[in-house]
Amino acid sequence: KHRNIYRLESSIKLPDRSLDVPQTPVFLGEALKEEYPEIKEVVRFRPIPVQSFRYGEKALPVDPIATFLADESVFDIFTHTFLKGTPKNALDQPVDLVVTVTFAKRYFKGENPMGKIIRTNTGYNFQVSAVIEDLPGNTTLGFDAIASMTSYEQLVGKAQADAERNAPERRYIPRVFTYALTEKNAT
């Protein structure tokens, strides 16, 4: 599907220059999907707002450029090889966590990772819902683990999530990487 996948970007106008960034405001993808019928699906990726994961006695820092929250539509847009679990329901629940083979080896040392609980430094529990092959090196947005975007409010608190959604001065800040899948030959 790579010929029909586009990364959305923001152009920020500052007093002395313009700046193009690969992130967009949180609401933009869905707004564009509603406005343009040639957009079949959108997915947002957001760095996960935690510092570490713990499994049993093992605690490791979270790599902020390799661990994301994503919408469940991620597997409708991008193709991944599932070794355990299925793309259909991998990110249905707020607690769902999809991990790569490398992540599974790092944390679970040969144990079957399915259903295992990973605890964040903030006390939130994720449950492994799928294991996928490692992503190729030429991926624009690589990751070792992605969790359900629906867990964001529990991770940062309702007040912060509401402020980002509703406060006009914060609503338009580019915070997520947004990708759109279009119909073939869309212009």
Side-chain angles (χ1 to χ4, degrees):
K1 302 176 195 173
H2 70 279
R3 295 189 192 287
N4 298 92
I5 299 172
Y6 297 89
R7 183 180 72 188
L8 306 179
E9 296 182 350
S10 296
S11 184
I12 300 170
K13 303 227 183 284
L14 302 170
D16 60 336
R17 62 190 155 111
S18 289
L19 183 65
D20 292 327
V21 295
Q23 294 95 355
T24 68
V26 173
F27 69 88
L28 183 64
E30 282 301 317
L32 290 174
K33 185 178 170 188
E34 288 176 18
E35 221 31 60
Y36 296 95
E38 58 270 25
I39 296 177
K40 292 170 58 173
E41 195 59 77
V42 296
V43 62
R44 299 167 301 161
F45 290 88
R46 179 180 207 139
I48 195 165
V50 299
Q51 280 86 39
S52 65
F53 283 142
R54 174 179 292 280
Y55 174 68
E57 296 303 312
K58 184 174 201 128
L60 294 171
V62 169
D63 184 344
I65 61 168
T67 310
F68 293 92
L69 299 174
D71 297 303
E72 62 185 271
S73 58
V74 63
F75 302 118
D76 296 329
I77 296 175
F78 295 101
T79 304
H80 297 281
T81 302
F82 276 72
L83 303 175
K84 296 182 183 293
T86 65
K88 183 166 178 61
N89 58 6
L91 292 176
D92 283 354
Q93 303 300 316
V95 297
D96 286 342
L97 181 71
V98 175
V99 301
T100 63
V101 170
T102 296
F103 183 101
K105 286 177 182 174
R106 189 177 327 131
Y107 280 91
F108 306 114
K109 301 285 187 203
E111 293 179 52
N112 179 359
M114 292 299 288
K116 296 284 194 259
I117 303 295
I118 294 278
R119 187 169 186 80
T120 70
N121 62 289
T122 59
Y124 189 78
N125 290 335
F126 285 109
Q127 184 172 14
V128 176
S129 60
V131 178
I132 61 173
E133 285 285 346
D134 290 350
L135 279 64
N138 65 349
T139 300
T140 302
L141 190 66
F143 60 83
D144 287 332
I146 54 173
S148 174
M149 184 70 81
T150 59
S151 64
Y152 182 72
E153 187 171 296
Q154 290 87 3
L155 291 168
V156 300
K158 184 169 175 30
Q160 181 176 333
D162 284 348
E164 287 180 17
R165 268 192 302 269
N166 303 320
E169 69 277 4
R170 295 180 74 186
R171 190 165 192 253
Y172 294 95
I173 296 172
R175 299 179 188 279
V176 295
F177 298 95
T178 304
Y179 292 81
L181 175 65
T182 64
E183 299 285 348
K184 288 183 180 174
N185 304 319
T187 57

